[in-house]
Amino acid sequence: MGRSIEEIRNDIENGGTSLGIEFGSTRIKAVLVDGTTTPVAQGSYEWENRLENGIWTYSLEDIWKGLRFCYQDLAADVKKQYGTGLVHIGSMGISAMMHGYMVFDKAGELLVPFRTWRNTITGEAAKKLTELFEYNIPQRWSIAHLYQAVLNKEEHLSKLDMLPIMATFFCFGMKFPAFLFRIQLIYCFYYTKNQKKMEGKNITFLGLSTDE
């Protein structure tokens, strides 16, 4: 037997819920679950990356707008079903695109337009990294985008301070505690056939300094 409207409303009003938001390539989805982890409300927002100057991208405005509209749709569903506002949330998690290239300077300013997973402009870098690591590095991976920028001698690299995946970007933007993927801390792990173990290798091989 399912829970009553009153029981679910009590969870919503007292922070006994958890919110999950997922940024897909064509839709942003939000699901609210109650104290028993049963989905009780949902919201969504349709979006699409666009081709600008040969790059598939979303603007930062697109990202924040999508988040706002998705949350508004969720809150409206809560109001419709349970007659209360969505004010207190017990916990929240964000899942977003793991691949692509979002780079920021120390002031938190985006250095180049977000290069999404859809771009296939890192063939040279992906090939070289695959050979170096003896492990397949797809073109969509952030490390391939970073190394391709190095090979292209792109000017923004001198200002690069942070390379987050999109989910980490939200933690950064919302002031949540998070591990920020900073150039000074990057280590690439590769499998060494001879020693049969994982080893850390400083990314100076990319042509970037990791000195403070």
Side-chain angles (χ1 to χ4, degrees), residues 34-114:
D34 65 11
T36 68
T37 69
T38 299
V40 295
Q42 62 184 348
S44 65
Y45 177 75
E46 304 283 341
W47 73 337
E48 179 61 79
N49 53 176
R50 57 182 175 272
L51 189 65
E52 293 184 354
N53 300 316
I55 300 293
W56 288 103
T57 187
Y58 300 98
S59 70
L60 295 188
E61 276 188 24
D62 293 336
I63 295 170
W64 290 118
K65 176 183 176 182
L67 178 61
R68 288 196 304 270
F69 277 67
C70 183
Y71 184 84
Q72 288 173 9
D73 193 43
L74 171 71
D77 189 37
V78 169
K79 185 71 173 179
K80 179 180 178 181
Q81 291 195 69
Y82 308 104
T84 189
L86 185 56
V87 178
H88 303 292
I89 297 172
S91 61
M92 180 173 129
I94 295 178
S95 172
M97 285 167 266
M98 295 179 62
H99 306 299
Y101 191 65
M102 300 180 77
V103 286
F104 298 84
D105 62 16
K106 289 184 177 180
E109 296 295 322
L110 187 67
L111 293 172
V112 295
F114 175 28

Side-chain angles (χ1 to χ4, degrees), residues 141-153:
W141 281 16
S142 298
I143 192 67
H145 281 277
L146 174 61
Y147 191 26
Q148 191 63 57
V150 172
L151 295 175
N152 294 344
K153 296 181 171 58

Side-chain angles (χ1 to χ4, degrees), residues 140-196:
R140 65 183 181 275
W141 281 16
S142 298
I143 192 67
H145 281 277
L146 174 61
Y147 191 26
Q148 191 63 57
V150 172
L151 295 175
N152 294 344
K153 296 181 171 58
E154 297 189 31
E155 293 182 5
H156 73 270
L157 292 173
S158 63
K159 301 177 182 178
L160 199 162
D161 182 67
M162 183 174 66
L163 170 59
I165 60 174
M166 187 185 281
T168 307
F169 162 74
F170 284 112
C171 295
F172 170 69
M174 294 178 174
K175 311 302 182 185
F176 291 161
F179 171 74
L180 301 181
F181 196 8
R182 294 183 181 279
I183 287 300
Q184 292 89 342
L185 302 177
I186 294 177
Y187 283 81
C188 296
F189 290 90
Y190 70 102
Y191 189 74
T192 305
K193 286 185 176 180
N194 293 333
Q195 298 180 3
K196 299 295 182 184

Side-chain angles (χ1 to χ4, degrees), residues 108-122:
E109 296 295 322
L110 187 67
L111 293 172
V112 295
F114 175 28
R115 300 169 185 176
T116 76
W117 58 271
R118 192 173 181 179
N119 290 285
T120 54
I121 56 176
T122 63

